[in-house]
């Protein structure tokens, strides 16, 4: 039984690593093809080196890039003692280091976890989330995010968010340069670069990732029904207060516990979340409810 458990755990870790590796390989191959088209074999070598440097830089800064996209700021225990208490208890139960905590000013109720591993993990909650959830529901959501940490989901999802942000960065240049009609040019550039970024995200992140985090988070928090209730409120809040899918936000939407955008236009290409109804059904079944 112990050997089987180790084998299953090794398979899970291999699956978690396969997505990011595929995304990086695709990015490097694309850069190599562009290099060949521009300057032959020498151009391919230069392009591969530049792609490798880009990947290393993204790995080093991907968590900060994701947090800055949501204007998140670090919060201390004095400011939110109850939030810290819940995270500390869940981290102790999960035998994990206590993550850093951040707060986003977004009115939409949502949360996400970023980092390169358990020791660099950070959890970000929106102000809207803290307003609409009670303590049991918030505990369930934090359990979900800590389950991403323990499930080794962070590196792949955070790195893909960083790569997608870099790929879609040119779409934000017209606004930064204050060009005339920046919105139209930004949309045109997003139509060009957005699908490439979406492929990177979809290769690195799967729907099963959210189902696993729901189940593990519910068991960690001890209340699947509370997490199901939180998902209902979050789903309603994201529909009512959907975020604008600009280049920075659209690249980090897959990190969040629920998709922050309306399922239309370019945002549909980046959707990696399973239907909220199915997630709630599975949590209720975990609690023994039958339909």
């Amino acid at each position: 039984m112990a050997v089987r458990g180790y084998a299953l755990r090794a398979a899970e870790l291999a699956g978690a690593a396969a997505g990011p590796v595929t995304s990086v390989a695709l990015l490097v191959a694309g850069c190599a093809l562009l290099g060949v088209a521009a300057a032959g074999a020498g151009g391919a070598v230069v392009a591969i080196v530049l792609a490798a440097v880009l990947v290393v830089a993204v790995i080093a800064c991907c968590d900060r890039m994701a947090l800055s996209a949501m204007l998140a700021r670090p919060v201390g225990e004095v400011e939110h003692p109850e939030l810290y208490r819940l995270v500390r208890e869940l981290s102790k139960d999960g035998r994990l280091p206590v993550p850093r905590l951040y707060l986003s000013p977004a009115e939409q109720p949502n949360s996400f976890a970023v980092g390169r591993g358990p020791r660099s993990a950070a959890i970000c909650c929106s102000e809207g989330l803290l307003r609409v959830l009670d303590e049991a529901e918030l505990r369930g959501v934090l359990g979900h995010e800590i389950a991403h940490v323990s499930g080794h989901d962070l590196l792949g999802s955070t790195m893909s968010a960083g790569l997608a942000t870099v790929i879609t960065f040119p779409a934000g240049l017209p606004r930064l340069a204050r060009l005339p009609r920046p919105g139209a040019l930004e949309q045109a550039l997003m139509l060009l670069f957005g699908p490439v970024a979406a492929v990177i995200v979809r290769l690195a992140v799967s729907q099963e990732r959210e189902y696993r985090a729901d189940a593990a988070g519910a068991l960690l928090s001890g209340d699947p029904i509370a997490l199901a209730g939180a998902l209902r409120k979050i789903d309603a809040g994201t529909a009512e207060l959907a975020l604008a899918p600009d280049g920075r936000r659209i690249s980090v939407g897959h990190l969040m516990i629920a998709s922050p955008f309306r399922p239309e236009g370019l945002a549909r290409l980046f959707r990696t979340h399973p239907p909220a109804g199915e997630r709630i059904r599975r949590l209720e079944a975990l609690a023994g409810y039958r339909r």
Side-chain angles (χ1 to χ4, degrees):
M1 291 299 292
V3 173
R4 182 185 178 188
Y6 284 122
L8 289 172
R9 187 58 180 162
E12 288 177 2
L13 293 175
V21 170
T22 303
S23 299
V24 171
L26 180 64
L27 179 66
V28 172
C31 290
L33 290 175
L34 290 175
V36 169
V45 173
V46 173
I48 290 173
V49 171
L50 291 176
V53 171
L54 175 64
V55 169
V56 171
V58 166
I59 291 174
C61 304
C62 54
D63 52 348
R64 283 171 283 177
M65 294 166 69
L67 291 165
S68 65
M70 294 304 296
L71 305 178
R73 62 177 179 85
V75 292
E77 188 169 2
V78 174
E79 185 177 358
H80 284 284
E82 290 301 311
L83 184 62
Y84 262 86
R85 178 181 63 80
L86 292 174
V87 172
R88 188 179 292 111
E89 291 174 358
L90 291 167
S91 300
K92 181 179 178 181
D93 291 342
R95 298 181 180 180
L96 293 168
V98 179
R100 296 167 292 143
L101 294 184
Y102 285 77
L103 186 66
S104 167
E107 294 292 326
Q108 181 191 92
N110 226 318
S111 66
F112 61 94
V114 292
R116 295 176 295 280
R119 296 193 178 279
S120 65
I123 293 176
C124 178
C125 298
S126 70
E127 292 184 356
L129 183 82
L130 300 184
R131 271 195 289 271
V132 303
L133 300 187
D134 61 32
E135 181 176 320
E137 292 166 341
L138 180 59
R139 184 182 180 88
V141 167
L142 294 172
H144 171 99
E145 301 301 349
I146 290 176
H148 279 310
V149 179
S150 64
H152 297 272
D153 294 332
L154 288 192
L155 179 59
S157 57
T158 309
M159 190 171 73
S160 63
L163 291 173
T165 301
V166 171
I167 291 169
T168 58
F169 176 75
L173 291 178
R175 193 176 301 276
L176 293 175
R178 299 183 179 180
L179 297 178
R181 299 183 63 190
L185 185 54
E186 183 176 352
Q187 289 180 2
L189 290 173
M190 277 300 297
L191 289 175
L192 177 63
F193 295 106
V196 180
V199 169
I200 296 294
V201 169
R202 295 291 289 268
L203 284 173
V205 180
S206 69
Q207 291 188 353
E208 288 302 317
R209 164 182 174 271
E210 292 300 327
Y211 287 133
R212 289 196 303 267
D214 284 343
L219 293 174
L220 182 62
S221 65
D223 194 345
I225 298 303
L227 179 54
L231 288 177
R232 284 194 181 90
K233 291 182 179 179
I234 292 170
D235 187 54
T238 53
E240 181 181 356
L241 301 168
L243 298 182
D246 60 26
R248 296 181 73 194
R249 288 174 174 173
I250 204 170
S251 299
V252 301
H254 64 280
L255 295 172
M256 301 186 188
I257 193 171
S259 176
F261 313 113
R262 290 191 175 91
E264 58 190 23
L266 191 63
R268 295 182 63 182
L269 297 178
F270 287 81
R271 286 185 69 89
T272 58
H273 293 83
E278 176 61 17
R279 295 172 69 181
I280 292 168
R281 185 195 69 79
R282 293 190 182 199
L283 286 168
E284 290 177 343
L286 188 65
Y289 284 30
R290 297 184 181 276
R291 293 187 182 181

